[in-house]
Amino acid sequence: MASISLPKNSLPSLLYTQAPKTSPFSQNVPVLSRSSHSQFHGLRLSHSASVSIPSPSSSLVNIMISAKVNKGQAPPSFTLKDQDGRTVSLSKFQGKPVVVYFYPADETPGCTKQACAFRDSYEKFKKAGAEVVGISGDDPSSHKAFAKKYKLPFTLLSDEGNKVRKDWGVPSDLFGALPGRQTYVLDKKGVVQLIYNNQFQPEKHIDETLKLLQSL
């Protein structure tokens, strides 16, 4: 009969060897699909998608982004394509107040509510002499379809690659999986007078911006 020789004192080490510990923060967490009407209003994922939540000792710290644009500052300029493929620069709005709102994506529940709320109050913004500009990472053709479907009377800009979002320091939500929903109000001189962030109450952005505009 064959036998196996083990080195002296090896048996205890075999018996008590433990499996590597895993952090609960590094597991893949399933996320509801778009068709299931997730509570995450701006999240648009496929049925099989999952969000990898990072370890708190690594990239989680990097998600806590400090705003690069603060109240009282002029934000970085940009030049982007609108829903009709035309080039639009921030400098175009110099001399009048402008509301710049960053949102996660076209055709998601919260973003649709927010866009329609801006649409329904658009006359109030015009009365205040202000322009409204929405920015997301969708391409111009997506913006065009979105604007046409909901009869949006304002400009939508395509920030493909999210460069402007990063330049302005718009923070993400849900451990970085969900692009942030943040609104800025710039005065006639192009200086930020309000920064408002609220992912899950998209319509409140309209109330807060109008309140500020009426005080300028």
Side-chain angles (χ1 to χ4, degrees):
M1 181 182 296
S3 63
I4 299 174
S5 270
L6 293 175
K8 187 178 181 180
N9 298 327
S10 63
L11 186 57
S13 64
L14 290 174
L15 292 175
Y16 294 103
T17 299
Q18 296 181 351
K21 293 182 179 179
T22 58
S23 167
F25 293 96
S26 63
Q27 299 174 4
N28 284 340
V29 179
V31 175
L32 294 177
S33 69
R34 183 182 176 187
S35 62
S36 62
H37 301 292
S38 167
Q39 64 173 315
F40 301 116
H41 293 244
L43 194 59
R44 183 166 60 191
L45 299 171
S46 66
H47 289 275
S48 61
S50 65
V51 175
S52 181
I53 297 179
S55 166
S57 61
S58 57
S59 56
L60 180 59
V61 177
N62 295 328
I63 294 167
M64 308 304 290
I65 303 172
S66 297
K68 295 181 182 178
V69 175
N70 296 308
K71 183 178 176 181
Q73 296 179 340
S77 188
F78 59 70
T79 300
L80 298 170
K81 297 284 187 182
D82 70 4
Q83 63 261 52
D84 296 314
R86 295 174 299 199
T87 299
V88 176
S89 297
L90 180 61
S91 58
K92 171 188 175 182
F93 306 105
Q94 193 79 24
K96 62 176 70 175
V98 57
V99 176
V100 179
Y101 81 96
F102 290 85
Y103 64 99
D106 296 337
E107 291 289 356
T108 53
C111 299
T112 300
K113 283 182 181 180
Q114 185 178 22
C116 290
F118 271 116
R119 176 200 65 198
D120 295 344
S121 295
Y122 190 63
E123 288 303 315
K124 294 178 182 178
F125 285 99
K126 284 179 64 178
K127 188 176 179 180
E131 295 280 352
V132 175
V133 178
I135 300 179
S136 78
D138 299 288
D139 62 29
S141 61
S142 174
H143 280 339
K144 187 165 187 173
F146 187 50
K148 182 178 180 181
K149 181 175 180 179
Y150 296 102
K151 297 181 172 60
L152 306 179
F154 48 85
T155 300
L156 296 178
L157 297 179
S158 179
D159 182 25
E160 294 182 87
N162 296 315
K163 182 182 184 304
V164 176
R165 180 180 286 272
K166 292 170 187 173
D167 288 346
W168 285 44
V170 179
S172 298
D173 294 303
L174 192 61
F175 299 99
L178 184 60
R181 188 187 307 281
Q182 187 148 293
T183 297
Y184 300 80
V185 177
L186 282 59
D187 64 18
K188 294 178 181 180
K189 296 179 181 179
V191 175
V192 174
Q193 297 298 328
L194 175 72
I195 301 174
Y196 182 73
N197 186 298
N198 191 329
Q199 181 68 258
F200 303 114
Q201 293 179 296
E203 292 138 312
K204 284 206 71 175
H205 287 251
I206 288 74
D207 297 335
E208 295 300 320
T209 52
L210 280 173
K211 190 186 304 181
L212 186 281
L213 285 168
Q214 288 162 2
S215 70
L216 290 179

